[in-house]
Amino acid sequence: MKNIDSYTHTRGESIYLDDIAEISGTLFGACFDSPVAHGIIKNLDLSEAENMNGVVKIFTHNDIPGRNEIGGIIEDEPLLADHHVHFCGMPIAFVVAETSEHAYAAIKKIKIEIEPLPVITDPRVAKEKNELIIPPRTFKIGDTASSFSTCDYIFEGRADSNGQEHLYIETQGAYTVPLENGAIKIYSSTQGPTAVQRACSKVLAIPMHQLEVDVTRLGGGFGGKEDQANAWAALSALATYCTKRPVKYILNRMEDMRMTGKRHPYSSDFKIGLNKELKIIAYEVVFYQNAGAAADLSPAVMERTLFHCTNSYFIPNVNATAYSCRTNLPPNTAFRGFGGPQGMFAIECAIAKAAAELKIDASEIQKINLIKTGDEFVYGQIAASEANECWQKAEQLYDVEKLQAEVRKFNSENGLFKKGIAIQPICFGISFTKTLMNNARSLVHVYSDGSVNISTGAVEMGQGVNTKILQVAQSIFSIPAEHIKVNSTNTFRIANTSPSAASATADLNGKATLLACNAILTRLKIVAAEALKSDPEKIELKNEFVFADRKKSEITWKQLVSMAFVKRVNLSEHAHHATPDIHFDATKEKGHPFAYHVYGTAILTATVDCLRGTYEFDSVKVVHDFGQSMNEIIDRGQCEGGIVQGIGWMTMEEIIYGKEGKLKSNALSTYKVPDVYSAPKEIAIHFLETKNNSLAIFNSKAVGEPPLMYGIGAYFALRNAVLAYNPNSVIPYDAPMTPEKVLLSLHQGK
Ligand code: LUZ
Ligand code: MOS
C-alpha cells in the first residue's frame, strides 16, 4: 500500500502549519536573538522598535506570567534571555505586529549592549573547565585494565564527528489561537505535542487542560522537532495569552539554522586491543559530547552513545565514559540516531586504525567480531542477533569478493580516479532508552455508517506512520482503506504522548491501535454471533463480510456496525500500550532497555577524482533486517532516505562555527546536503526477513533511524580511495570527509 499522503502531497494539497487558514486579526511574530555567543546584557532599548508602525507588543522575559523555563530534562534553559546570553541566536525579545514585514522591520530597530564573556566552542575545553551538563557516565563490561595486557595488538587514536543540520523542508513554527475561558489552541510543527503543551503550560502558568496542541503533519523532523519546537510555540502562545489574538510565528531558513540546535559534534579518544586471531579483546573510549549552552536532550543522547559504543560487535571488555560538555553554541538536540551514530563512528575508527596498522582490510576485523545470539551488550542485555545473517547474506548476494577485486583492478588501471570500498554493519536498539517513555495510546471510533476514525500520539512527518496505523485497523476490520481516516495528533484527544521519536512510533502507536481495534472487534463478534446463531469465536470479518464457521453470511461490515449501534454496543475504544519486559537501572548501568535490535550490513563503493578531490558513490548495497515488513514501499523509502542522510553527515555536510561562536554555514549556499546528483548511483536493498519480533508491530521492525548508520561506511570508503592514491597520507579520523579534506589528503606529502 502506498503512503496515504502521496495523493495530496503530489498535488500540493497537504496541509502543513503555514497552510492553515489564518483567522482575521492574526498577528505575526519575529524574534530578536543574541548577536554574541556569551555575555551580559547591559542595556536593551526597545523604544524605537515599539513605536514602529504595526507593532502591537514586544515581549521580553519580564512579560512571562509563568516560568521563564523550557528545559525538558534539566531546567536550565530560559525561553527569553534575562541578563545573560549563552549562544548566538538565543531569543532575547519577541515582536508581534500586524504583518510579518512590520515585525521584521521592528527587529532591526532594537538596540542592545552586551558585555562579552569568554566563549567556549570546543567540548574538550569545556571539560577542562568542568563545564559539564551532567556528571560523566561510564558503561563497562569485563575488565579492560587487566585484559589489555593479554592483547597482541593495542592501538589508540582520536575520532571526531561533526554536527548536522536537520534541514527539515518545513522550518520550525507555531500558530496559536485563543479559545474561550483562556484556553489556547496551538498548531505546532512538533514531533512532541505533549512536550509543547507542557512547555507552554509552564511558561504561561496555566494547566495543560487549557492547551490544545494539534499537529496534522510535519514537513520533516529528523529529531529537530522532538524538543526544539517548544520555544516557538511558547513564544507564540505567550503573545496570544497577552493580546488575546491569534499569533503566527514561522522561522525563516536562516533563523532556523542560526537559532536551533543540531546533531551533537563529538570528539572521542579510543584504545582498542586485539589478539592474533583479530578478536577484539578490549576497548576503551572517552566521548566528549558538544552539548551546546543548555541540556536540552543531551543527557539522553549521551546515554545512547554509550549504548551503541560497540555497534554490532561483541567485545568482552569495554570501558566507555561520556562527558556532556557545555559550550556557547545553540543547545544541540535529537537527530536521527540520537547519539548512536557518534558512538558507532568511534568504534569503526578504532577498527579502521587497527586494520591500517596491521595492513589488512577492516572487514576482516569487523566480520569475526560480529555479535552473536547469547552475547552480552555492555549494558547487560543479551543479544538476539541477526548481525552475522545480514553480513553473510550481503557477502553472498552482492559477491563482496568480486566487488573488492573490481575495485583493485580499477585502481591498478587508473591513475587519476581511485575507488574505495567499505563494509558497514549496523545494530540499533529499539525503544526510548528512558523506559517510562515507551507507551502510547490510540482512540478508535467506528461511526454508525461503518467509517472509522483513528487518533493516536503518532506524528506524521513523512515517515509514513499514519499509513501503517491505517493498515493496522484495516487488517483487523478487513475493510477498504477508504473507510478509515487517521486524524491529526491532538492533546485533547490523546494525552501524555511520548514524542514521535526513537524509531518506535509505529510500534507503540500501532500496538495501541491494534488493542483498540481488537476490543471493538470482540464486541462486534458478539453481535454477529447473536444474529447468526453462532459462537463469537467462530465469527470472522473478511472483505467487508461477516463469516460464521468459515461460511460467508449476508451480513456486511456496515450492517454489522449498524446492528451493534442499534443494540447500544460501544463502537469506540481508547487503548493503552506499554512495551513489556524492558527496564534499565542507571545506578548499575545495566538492564534490558530495548524491545529488540535492528541489524544490517551495507557495502559502499566510492570513486574519487584525485585531481579535484570530488567524489561519487557508485553504489550502496544493503541487507537490512526488516523483520516482516508490513509496508515495503515505506520501509524502502525510510532506508534510502536514512542512507543518503547518513552519507551527507559523513561527507559533504559541514557545520562551521567561528571561534566567536557564530554560525558560518548559516544558509543553503554554505551548507551542502546531498542532492539528486550526489546521491549514490545505485542503492540496492535486500529485505532480510527475520522472525520472533513480537514487540514490533505485526513483526515489522522499526526502520526510522537504523539505516542512517550505513552512511558511516561512506567515510571509510572515501578514506580507502584516498589511500589507494596516496598510501602515505596521514588522514585524521575527522568527519565529514568533505571534498576539501579529500583533496588535501590526496596530495599530502606529494
Ligand atoms: N528520543 C528520546 C530518542 O527521547 N529517547 C531516545 O532514546 C531516543 N532515541 C532515538 C531517537 N530519539
Ligand atoms: Mo528522533 S532523533 O527519533 O527525534
Side-chain angles (χ1 to χ4, degrees):
M1 179 177 173
K2 62 178 191 179
N3 191 317
I4 52 174
D5 277 348
S6 47
Y7 181 79
T8 50
H9 278 1
T10 50
R11 293 164 63 93
E13 291 171 0
S14 299
I15 304 276
Y16 295 85
L17 178 67
D18 205 17
D19 301 315
I20 295 168
E22 280 155 21
I23 295 170
S24 86
T26 293
L27 298 173
F28 297 83
C31 232
F32 175 74
D33 59 296
S34 179
V36 304
H38 196 197
I40 303 291
I41 300 176
K42 287 288 164 192
N43 188 34
L44 178 66
D45 180 1
L46 302 176
S47 51
E48 194 183 344
E50 276 170 337
N51 290 321
M52 294 279 289
N53 207 0
V55 171
V56 173
K57 186 166 166 66
I58 304 181
F59 296 86
T60 68
H61 69 99
N62 289 319
D63 301 299
I64 294 174
R67 297 182 54 206
N68 182 21
E69 178 55 60
I70 55 164
I73 296 180
I74 298 174
E75 299 202 322
D76 68 346
E77 191 176 354
L79 173 64
L80 289 167
D82 37 32
H83 59 285
H84 203 156
V85 289
H86 303 278
F87 62 91
C88 278
M90 182 173 183
I92 296 172
F94 184 61
V95 179
V96 290
E98 298 295 342
T99 71
S100 194
E101 290 72 20
H102 286 116
Y104 280 96
I107 291 283
K108 295 211 177 90
K109 302 293 180 189
I110 294 178
K111 296 188 195 75
I112 193 159
E113 268 174 65
I114 299 176
E115 185 180 300
L117 289 170
V119 171
I120 302 176
T121 57
D122 180 337
R124 289 181 188 253
V125 173
K127 150 80 176 39
E128 280 314 303
K129 301 205 148 85
N130 209 27
E131 286 287 344
L132 298 180
I133 301 276
I134 51 165
R137 287 175 71 176
T138 299
F139 281 25
K140 56 185 167 204
I141 186 169
D143 179 4
T144 47
S146 66
S147 53
F148 271 117
S149 62
T150 71
C151 293
D152 296 307
Y153 312 113
I154 296 175
F155 305 103
E156 294 182 59
R158 169 175 165 158
D160 288 273
S161 59
N162 202 349
Q164 186 175 20
E165 167 61 46
H166 299 88
L167 221 90
Y168 22 68
I169 293 178
E170 180 193 32
T171 55
Q172 304 264 7
Y175 183 40
T176 52
V177 177
L179 305 177
E180 64 178 12
N181 293 319
I184 299 174
K185 181 158 186 174
I186 302 167
Y187 298 97
S188 163
S189 180
T190 179
Q191 292 172 242
T194 295
V196 164
Q197 186 189 25
R198 207 176 271 132
C200 293
S201 163
K202 210 192 281 187
V203 166
L204 301 181
I206 62 177
M208 286 167 76
H209 73 219
Q210 291 282 67
L211 298 166
E212 177 182 8
V213 182
D214 192 271
V215 186
T216 296
R217 65 167 64 71
L218 316 185
F222 308 113
K225 297 169 182 172
E226 182 175 337
D227 242 31
Q228 296 209 356
N230 298 2
W232 327 114
L235 288 171
S236 222
L238 169 66
T240 288
Y241 178 90
C242 295
T243 63
K244 308 271 181 284
R245 288 172 68 174
V247 175
K248 188 173 196 175
Y249 178 38
I250 296 179
L251 282 67
N252 66 37
R253 181 63 65 185
M254 286 180 78
E255 289 171 327
D256 192 302
M257 292 180 84
R258 181 173 81 230
M259 292 163 69
T260 69
K262 312 179 190 312
R263 183 187 293 287
H264 294 77
Y266 272 63
S267 188
S268 314
D269 295 318
F270 60 79
K271 179 176 173 189
I272 188 168
L274 304 90
N275 69 13
K276 284 232 156 54
E277 288 74 48
L278 302 179
K279 278 272 180 200
I280 305 173
I281 303 299
Y283 179 58
E284 281 180 0
V285 60
V286 180
F287 296 107
Y288 301 93
Q289 177 201 54
N290 192 334
D296 192 272
L297 291 164
S298 298
V301 171
M302 179 184 106
E303 184 177 52
R304 197 176 268 278
T305 302
L306 293 168
F307 280 116
H308 294 309
C309 71
T310 59
N311 187 11
S312 53
Y313 309 108
F314 171 66
I315 307 178
N317 303 285
V318 177
N319 191 313
T321 296
Y323 296 92
S324 181
C325 310
R326 190 185 289 109
T327 59
N328 297 109
L329 299 179
N332 286 315
T333 193
F335 195 134
R336 205 171 190 175
F338 206 73
Q342 294 95 320
M344 289 156 65
F345 180 69
I347 181 74
E348 293 301 335
C349 289
I351 290 172
K353 171 128 192 185
E357 299 281 341
L358 297 171
K359 304 207 172 352
I360 56 171
D361 197 84
S363 61
E364 291 186 45
I365 301 175
Q366 291 172 311
K367 182 178 176 176
I368 70 157
N369 288 287
L370 291 172
I371 195 162
K372 296 188 188 65
T373 296
D375 287 341
E376 187 177 341
F377 286 103
V378 270
Y379 44 93
Q381 184 159 343
I382 304 300
S385 178
E386 308 288 351
N388 286 281
E389 288 72 6
C390 290
W391 182 287
Q392 281 157 18
K393 184 75 192 174
E395 253 184 2
Q396 291 161 14
L397 185 66
Y398 302 123
D399 201 344
V400 171
E401 278 179 27
K402 184 160 157 250
L403 288 173
Q404 287 168 331
E406 280 168 7
V407 166
R408 280 194 298 272
K409 180 162 182 288
F410 180 93
N411 288 346
S412 69
E413 290 170 354
N414 289 277
L416 292 179
F417 288 87
K418 295 290 181 188
K419 285 189 190 290
I421 188 166
I423 308 188
Q424 186 57 60
I426 57 129
C427 166
F428 198 77
I430 302 303
S431 286
F432 289 94
T433 58
K434 286 278 166 283
T435 301
L436 74 94
M437 294 173 78
N438 294 287
N439 65 81
R441 281 148 301 285
S442 176
L443 176 64
V444 177
H445 296 310
V446 178
Y447 292 99
S448 56
D449 67 351
S451 66
V452 177
N453 199 332
I454 307 174
S455 297
T456 73
V459 170
E460 176 61 53
M461 50 188 138
Q463 86 280 44
V465 68
N466 282 356
T467 305
K468 288 187 172 181
I469 283 171
L470 187 148
Q471 283 180 274
V472 171
Q474 195 183 7
S475 76
I476 301 302
F477 295 142
S478 197
I479 55 176
E482 303 79 68
H483 289 2
I484 307 168
K485 179 180 193 300
V486 181
N487 228 331
S488 68
T489 316
N490 184 299
T491 56
F492 280 3
R493 269 180 269 119
I494 302 291
N496 309 321
T497 61
S498 289
S500 287
S503 305
T505 313
D507 279 0
L508 296 173
N509 294 278
K511 289 247 173 192
T513 302
L514 185 64
L515 288 171
C517 292
N518 272 327
I520 295 170
L521 178 68
T522 302
R523 295 195 284 266
L524 289 173
K525 281 182 176 177
I526 295 170
V527 174
E530 273 173 24
L532 295 168
K533 312 240 175 325
S534 177
D535 201 42
E537 273 98 84
K538 293 188 177 146
I539 300 289
E540 283 173 286
L541 300 190
K542 272 196 293 200
N543 301 326
E544 293 189 87
F545 275 91
V546 178
F547 286 64
D549 235 347
R550 309 226 170 124
K551 281 202 293 290
K552 187 172 175 181
S553 76
E554 299 282 292
I555 303 176
T556 65
W557 160 259
K558 285 190 180 182
Q559 286 165 340
L560 177 62
V561 167
S562 159
M563 285 158 60
F565 176 71
V566 169
K567 292 187 168 222
R568 298 185 294 169
V569 169
N570 179 5
L571 290 170
S572 299
E573 186 75 12
H574 179 259
H576 170 86
H577 167 75
T579 313
D581 305 326
I582 51 172
H583 51 89
F584 189 70
D585 180 348
T587 61
K588 300 195 179 76
E589 307 288 28
K590 295 284 178 192
H592 186 105
F594 297 121
Y596 55 88
H597 291 82
V598 171
Y599 296 87
T601 296
I603 306 157
L604 301 93
T605 312
T607 305
V608 170
D609 177 333
C610 301
L611 271 185
R612 297 174 180 82
T614 53
Y615 45 74
E616 285 184 343
F617 288 92
D618 307 338
S619 62
V620 180
K621 297 170 189 263
V622 177
V623 171
H624 186 84
D625 160 25
F626 287 93
Q628 289 153 288
S629 174
M630 68 185 284
N631 191 320
E632 294 206 3
I633 304 176
I634 284 175
D635 285 353
R636 184 179 294 276
Q638 282 292 85
C639 209
E640 290 176 351
I643 289 166
V644 176
Q645 194 166 39
I647 292 177
W649 171 50
M650 281 281 116
T651 62
M652 64 202 297
E653 296 184 41
E654 190 172 37
I655 289 180
I656 302 179
Y657 288 99
K659 283 238 178 329
E660 75 298 350
K662 210 172 203 128
L663 182 66
K664 294 186 166 172
S665 49
N666 65 350
L668 293 182
S669 54
T670 45
Y671 185 80
K672 292 295 187 190
V673 288
D675 59 12
V676 68
Y677 298 105
S678 50
K681 300 284 160 292
E682 178 194 358
I683 298 180
I685 298 167
H686 175 78
F687 284 60
L688 187 76
E689 277 218 7
T690 58
K691 301 247 147 49
N692 306 319
N693 308 304
S694 64
L695 295 178
I697 180 68
F698 290 155
N699 291 306
S700 180
K701 280 188 165 185
V703 72
E705 296 170 287
L708 180 125
M709 270 78 58
Y710 293 131
I712 295 171
Y715 173 84
F716 293 99
L718 287 177
R719 275 182 78 95
N720 291 340
V722 170
L723 291 168
Y725 180 81
N726 180 2
N728 299 323
S729 190
V730 182
I731 316 169
Y733 292 96
D734 182 8
M737 195 71 167
T738 57
E740 291 87 339
K741 279 194 209 155
V742 168
L743 191 65
L744 289 173
S745 41
L746 282 165
H747 300 289
Q748 189 192 94
K750 278 221 155 182

